[in-house]
Amino acid sequence: MTAVTGVVRTAFATYDELLAGVRAGEVGPDPAAQRIAVAFTTRQAVRHDGRGTGYRNEVLSLRLGSAVGSCAVEPGALPDHAVEECVGASVADLLEHPLPAVRVAALDAYLMHVSPHTPPNGARPVPLAAGTSLEKSRARATAVVSLLDLPAGATVLVVGVVNSLLDALRSRGLRYVPCDLKGGLTEWGEAVVTDALAGAAGCDALLVSGMTLGNDTFEPLRRYALAHRKQLVMFAQSGSAVLPRFLGHGVNAVCAEPYPFFWLDGGPGTVHRYGGPDSEGGR
């Protein structure tokens, strides 16, 4: 099975509209005829050298042809049987699965198959040099933060706390409000808020993890950004092929990072940017 290229992107204003369009075959091949060959999870724990705190990741990934779609979950939240249920199932069936992470990973795999991250599809590749986990984390953070079109002194709501992103914002003279459903403290002892929409009120822009697709918080943030005319930049390991579909519909830019992610390998890698101030037609 080879990727379908050169497909015209159909615009959808909301996540539910995109799902409905894919189910109806409006985006590419009939999803009922596309079957997932491989399903797997990736579990990781990390504490970078020089950092006082660490974190864990768990990601569900589904392979459709040469494409891999992914959705992160809270560690331990994905039942073991979910992987077995995905293998051999059609994309159409998985788009109706009761687990949000399965639906997102299936949608991501399908859209990656239809429109891979290539320049003809609007992606601008950014190479990540080989290095330590911290070096690669910082390189990715630089690629993400460069998509914000803000003056020094502006404030950014960061949904999905990643210390390297916070450090990159600091280096640009940007303030931030860290937000994560788990709460807690940042590496620098700052309180992490848990209510994203409340935290957004005093911010000039939103920098949001693709993981929000899997916990049903993406749409409220997209609608908020659109209604209040605030920049919304997504950094996406989850749903990296999904989120570029919302450019112009509340999303200003996306840093897409399909599997394999930077933290899996010490060798060189690539992230893909869409939109932002350095894009064609960018501000």
Side-chain angles (χ1 to χ4, degrees), residues 101-234:
V102 172
R103 298 196 298 270
V104 171
L107 180 63
D108 193 34
Y110 178 86
L111 293 176
M112 192 88 70
H113 176 61
V114 170
S115 299
H117 295 302
T118 61
N121 289 323
R124 305 191 311 281
V126 178
L128 301 183
T132 67
S133 59
L134 181 56
E135 288 168 343
K136 294 187 73 174
S137 178
R138 285 173 169 163
R140 184 193 70 147
T142 298
V144 171
V145 170
S146 69
L147 291 170
L148 289 164
D149 189 10
L150 293 171
T155 302
V156 181
L157 176 74
V158 182
V159 180
V161 173
V162 178
N163 287 320
S164 290
L165 288 177
L166 302 185
D167 196 33
L169 291 170
R170 286 166 167 252
S171 71
R172 279 190 50 182
L174 295 170
R175 301 185 179 94
Y176 55 78
V177 175
C179 178
D180 198 288
L181 291 174
K182 296 186 293 292
L185 300 174
T186 71
E187 176 75 14
W188 299 276
E190 301 147 328
V192 176
V193 304
T194 57
D195 187 331
L197 292 179
C203 295
D204 302 293
L206 289 70
L207 184 61
V208 177
S209 167
M211 194 173 176
T212 53
L213 285 169
N215 61 24
D216 296 325
T217 58
F218 166 69
E219 268 297 303
L221 290 166
R222 185 196 63 79
R223 292 195 299 267
Y224 175 91
L226 194 60
H228 292 83
R229 298 184 178 183
K230 293 185 179 183
Q231 290 179 56
L232 172 56
V233 172
M234 304 295 303

Side-chain angles (χ1 to χ4, degrees), residues 54-95:
Y55 58 89
R56 293 174 59 203
N57 287 313
E58 185 170 345
V59 183
L60 171 68
S61 297
L62 306 179
R63 183 161 184 169
L64 177 64
S66 61
V68 177
S70 298
C71 183
V73 298
E74 290 298 327
L78 190 72
D80 289 338
H81 62 77
V83 172
E84 285 78 11
E85 291 173 354
C86 294
V87 176
S90 72
V91 170
D93 286 341
L94 295 182
L95 292 178

